[in-house]
């Protein structure tokens, strides 16, 4: 049994707690949260205890730390967990500042710690299916990759202000997906950003609509289209055009019911948001991490994936501001 | 050039006239109609003349007769055209009375005449694709065939009264399709009929909704579901379940436009009716008939197909009335 | 907390055990199975104990009995549980003999016991969506209902021999679905059965392919098309044609990935079988039953639903043998 | 009757000839081609005569000139036809050099001539449906427009060498579509080009894969993804994301047949190329032009549309070479 201390009892913390509790070879040992009441309620629901982070890290019965707290606590928690010899699963991002990410990863490396970062799309059954088909050569050499990723509705102003901006908060997922599907690092990018959805984004100096174009050494070009508001649920589609054809991942719909009448056919919209669309992916991600801790899997996505995606997101901000193609060197 | 005399300048006659006029090796020679004005207008639109049926049949320049007049004139016209040595294309049905059909076909046979009957579905690209895939063994031995055929809206009372009833007017198409796809004759059937769509059908002693089940010697069972009113255009779907899988023909939609919003996705309904859905099929059917006249194709569907489909429709009336399985012998 | 004794540690028992264990207001108290080893393994996986059925029924801490054992034990277990004052959830069928079912339900009634029967489709999100749309009047009065239900591959001979035949084992689900969607009892039926899939069915005197037609007092007609072998996963589709349009429930596919190349487009087949397709439905069914035990929901489907579906399945056997329409009286 | 002289008896000329011949209020008067044999064959097929361009332009019976000859003859022919007082329909482009286009349009304007340019997509039923829905406000304010346009297979080297390059030959259609759907002129663009499909493009100094991003004053951004080789037919899809939802135009498939078996579902690929996909659009475009000649419609797309699309294509070449955002001023 892998005994897990969960840090963060908020929305995503609750998702992780239920998955850990249900896993056949993992156990929710303890819940840590600055809000003690939240920690107690979540711990009670799964028969776990509450404790401070110091207690969790010094408890020899705790094997792994699952970090699902506020973004600005991630890097510190990773370093402390690494130093305490715990296995680490951390929700993205490691940090919003690239230097802080690098310092953190240096500590992880110095400690020889195991770190996995939560880019949940890598564990989505559908997206994995597309990647597997591509890797199996079903469409030949990659030429253009298109990732459409739209949230159902804009987040509140407070979220926007703490988010680090659209590229680092939202696009970062799609950047990781593009790198992971194509299996290479982009060498240049162009970006366009707009604030057309919601007044809050302008207030926060952020954008809500973006278009990013990544050029890869193989000749492949990836386009990412983002919006903070689809108006119709979580729009998560990918298509990869290769030398021998096209691979597409469509949306997962709320239902298969179709009604046809004089005005045409009506079918369901995509499922609402990431908790619905990636429910299975969160469980698969956790199962993979348990395999990492059991020595069966390599930690992937790892710290370097988090760092690279952030560096690309930062370059996207530059490209958007200048209107120029920004080269990327690794 | 195949010189064609068209009998009937109504709705379907106009469709045929345009197709004949456009065909590279056929020519619309003349138009015959009891309503002289209708004949004149249609002839003028395609540079043809008008004449009486007697004139057309005695004109040595007329090679073929295309019968698209009222149902109760078909058998007489076929016989006269056969005796005049013309090639014959006749819209379905040959007649509503099986004895009259048989007498007519005896004359055709005695004259050695060429007769083709208009079951347009046999020339639909999609239905042909399903049949070709089946014949190529793509789903193995046929087990169940399902034909859904629904008109968009009920016809007027006068049409219903002259139609011969739903089985002989509408289902007869689907009966032919089932025989043609499976390539065998049914040996028994069951039928259920309802009058739930429109008051006119009850007035006329007819039904507007039906379910027919045909058993075939190979073990395959075909189900035909009919309605005089879909409420959403022309519903023309077929599926064939075989030992190795499923073949389906879907509806042809008015447009590929899809709109997705908070209430879900909206797409187009099927095209309105047979003139839209089978526009291409009518042209392909005519092209095939020209090939028959040029000695390249066998006349198919021929007179026997018309006779068999009518006999099965008659048996369906019996089965509906008794609630019993009616055996069919050939 | 609702303490549950599970009887039956086989395939479906394991599904139920995991659902009970995960339910927020139910608890898996004990597992009963004639195979002690199976009971022990399943109980251990969920922190429950093992015991005999007598011990479970006499234990005042046990609130409910979940019957997932062999079919021929259901009626006895229901009666004993009813007499012991336990709430009862029983997998379908209650029994294969209608007299035994009636006797069992008389006991349930005499004891005032709570009984719910496992027709899982009633809890499928998609099928519920179709029924809700129909009940909301979205397609008007029902005219024809079509239920296609095909298993992926035939079961072993031993299963077939104990199954009670296709109508009572498999079609019974679709019969319940038709009754439940339309909200009325059929008054006549016709049936056709074939043994074309697998030699085992002939050996067992059973059929593997069937077509059932049910006539309802409202004028609606339902057709059920069954096969023991689709060749492409679990084919579970429903369509309801009403006065104002069509409602359809499609298959749930293994993935949304589509590959398009020179040979056309390739997409995933339906999910494999009932454990995949109805995984959510099993959980929703259990949640509903817990609500029944907590006094929030009426037990539905109840014993009478089980009895009616069985009576209709029996009549289907008669109709198949005679080729005649069989009237049904309630 | 509108008497039409067709210039050009090649592939697209044949398409136009058949459409003109079939049109109820137009007539194919004469065919002009430098290859006399081609002109004679095409004229004979439709009962027209052959003549020289001078004869056609000086013939008072000729009302309109349909220019479907080689690109480098378009501007001269337009000018001569304008001076001769003929109505003009010209296939795109007017010329590959923007200065030549401007000079030609000055002549058209000076003569007060009627000129319509052949951007066939504007007459596609599906694309018109999307635009109409957008104009009707069905998805609110436009935010992102995505146009995917891929030819089935690369053209021969000779075609590439005379084409003017991908942006001016192929993308120009999509540029016109974007301008037409959004109803505004872009004010900046970025472009990426690749030669990854076919050696011929490198030989000709051309690209075969491109990504173009257009920024519009309203805030909308349009992305055009082109390839000279889809590998699966003519890929012509558009989606427009607006404030209130998404509009999509999908591909038109070769057939509605779907086969499902153990390996999944197989459906048809898109129709092969523009002659199939836009067959209806060519007829609708011609019908619209006849309406222009009859004073019922405004000429649209007109000369300015041809000029603007070319100017944008030229800017795309600049943007591709520099990697910079290129501003556009009108």
């Amino acid at each position: 049994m892998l005994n897990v201390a969960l840090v963060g009892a908020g929305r995503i913390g609750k998702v992780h707690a239920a998955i850990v509790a249900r896993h056949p070879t993992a156990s929710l040992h303890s819940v840590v949260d600055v809000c003690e009441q939240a920690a107690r309620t979540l711990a009670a629901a799964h028969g776990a205890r509450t404790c401070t982070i110091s207690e969790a890290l010094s408890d020899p019965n705790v094997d792994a730390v699952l970090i699902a707290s506020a973004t600005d606590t991630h890097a510190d928690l990773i370093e402390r967990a690494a130093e305490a010899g715990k296995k680490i699963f951390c929700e993205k991002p490691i940090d919003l500042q690239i230097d802080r990410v690098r310092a953190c990863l240096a500590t992880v490396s110095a400690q020889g710690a195991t770190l996995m970062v939560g880019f949940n799309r890598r564990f989505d059954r559908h997206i994995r299916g597309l990647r597997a088909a591509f890797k199996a050569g079903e469409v030949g050499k990659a030429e253009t990759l298109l990732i459409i990723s739209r949230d159902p509705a804009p987040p509140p102003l407070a979220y926007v202000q703490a988010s680090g901006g659209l590229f680092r908060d939202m696009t970062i997922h799609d950047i990781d997906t593009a790198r992971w599907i194509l299996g290479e690092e982009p060498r240049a990018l162009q970006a366009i950003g707009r604030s057309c959805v919601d007044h809050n984004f302008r207030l926060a100096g952020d954008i809500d609509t973006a278009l990013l174009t990544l050029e890869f050494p193989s000749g492949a070009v990836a386009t990412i289209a983002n919006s903070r508001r689809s108006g119709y649920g979580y729009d998560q589609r990918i298509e990869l055009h290769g030398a021998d054809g096209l691979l597409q991942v469509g949306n997962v719909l709320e239902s298969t019911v179709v009604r046809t009448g004089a005005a045409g056919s009506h079918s369901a919209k995509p499922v609402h948001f990431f908790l619905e669309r990636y429910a299975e992916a969160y469980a698969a991600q956790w199962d993979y991490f348990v395999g990492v801790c059991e020595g069966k899997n390599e930690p992937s996505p790892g710290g370097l994936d988090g760092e690279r995606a952030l560096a690309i997101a930062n370059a996207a901000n530059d490209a958007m501001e200048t209107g120029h193609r920004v080269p990327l060197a690794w």
Side-chain angles (χ1 to χ4, degrees), chain A:
Chain A
M1 273 306 196
L2 184 80
N3 284 317
V4 180
L6 168 68
V7 188
R11 183 172 62 166
I12 196 66
K14 284 175 189 158
V15 171
H16 284 298
I19 290 170
V20 173
R22 197 183 303 170
H23 194 278
T25 63
S27 166
L28 188 65
H29 177 274
S30 43
V31 177
V32 180
D33 200 292
V34 288
C35 170
E36 278 179 48
Q37 183 53 48
R40 264 198 303 272
T41 304
L42 186 57
H46 296 291
R49 73 209 69 179
T50 63
C51 63
T52 65
I53 182 64
S54 301
E55 288 166 351
L57 293 179
S58 61
D59 187 334
N61 289 323
V62 169
D63 303 306
V65 176
L66 197 170
I67 303 172
S69 48
T71 291
D72 59 6
T73 65
H74 288 187
D76 286 351
L77 288 167
I78 290 171
E79 288 175 339
R80 291 178 65 185
E83 284 156 359
K86 308 301 186 194
K87 313 281 188 190
I88 310 160
F89 179 92
C90 183
E91 270 297 328
K92 70 96 202 170
I94 297 170
D95 196 87
L96 291 171
Q97 303 307 319
I98 192 78
D99 291 344
R100 183 69 190 90
V101 170
R102 286 176 182 144
C104 173
L105 294 181
T107 302
V108 168
S109 178
Q111 298 291 336
T114 294
L115 169 65
M116 193 168 134
V117 176
F119 285 125
N120 53 11
R121 283 146 178 83
R122 291 202 188 192
F123 298 92
D124 177 68
R125 182 159 47 98
H126 312 285
I127 300 176
R128 290 180 82 83
L130 179 145
R131 183 174 180 265
F134 168 57
K135 293 289 177 197
E138 293 189 12
V139 295
K141 194 165 165 299
E143 292 176 2
T144 47
L145 175 69
L146 171 65
I147 300 178
I148 292 173
S149 175
R150 295 183 182 122
D151 289 350
L157 180 57
Y159 180 96
V160 177
Q161 286 169 328
S163 71
L166 185 118
F167 289 132
R168 286 188 288 195
D169 181 58
M170 180 177 176
T171 315
I172 199 167
H173 273 296
D174 307 304
I175 292 168
D176 180 68
T177 302
R179 292 175 63 247
W180 177 66
I181 290 176
L182 295 173
E184 51 181 336
E185 300 292 350
R187 63 179 179 198
L189 61 76
Q190 299 181 39
I192 295 173
R194 289 277 182 280
S195 178
C196 51
V197 164
D198 194 277
H199 189 55
N200 283 339
F201 292 95
R202 263 184 226 106
L203 284 180
D206 195 5
I207 56 170
D208 48 37
T209 302
L211 210 69
L212 192 63
T213 308
L214 301 164
E215 299 175 51
F216 288 84
S218 67
V221 179
T223 300
I224 297 169
N226 286 143
S227 171
R228 284 290 195 183
R229 182 263 299 114
S230 73
Y232 50 83
Y234 200 34
D235 195 352
Q236 294 281 293
R237 290 173 291 148
I238 301 180
E239 59 180 81
L240 174 60
H241 181 230
D244 299 328
L246 182 72
L247 288 169
Q248 296 172 291
V249 169
N251 281 317
V252 175
L253 306 185
E254 287 180 340
S255 144
T256 68
V257 177
V258 176
R259 183 183 75 242
T260 304
S265 277
H266 177 272
S267 51
K269 64 177 189 297
V271 294
H272 180 60
F273 207 1
F274 68 97
L275 292 181
E276 292 82 12
R277 167 65 191 261
Y278 294 124
E280 264 186 54
Y282 279 111
Q285 175 181 257
W286 180 253
D287 188 58
Y288 184 90
F289 176 71
V290 173
V292 169
C293 295
E294 292 171 348
K296 298 175 191 160
N297 302 327
E298 288 301 302
S300 171
L304 187 63
D305 294 298
E307 179 189 333
R308 291 276 164 93
L310 181 64
I312 296 168
N314 285 340
N317 277 318
D318 294 345
M320 175 176 65
E321 277 158 30
T322 61
H324 289 354
R325 181 177 179 271
V326 171
L328 295 162
W330 306 106

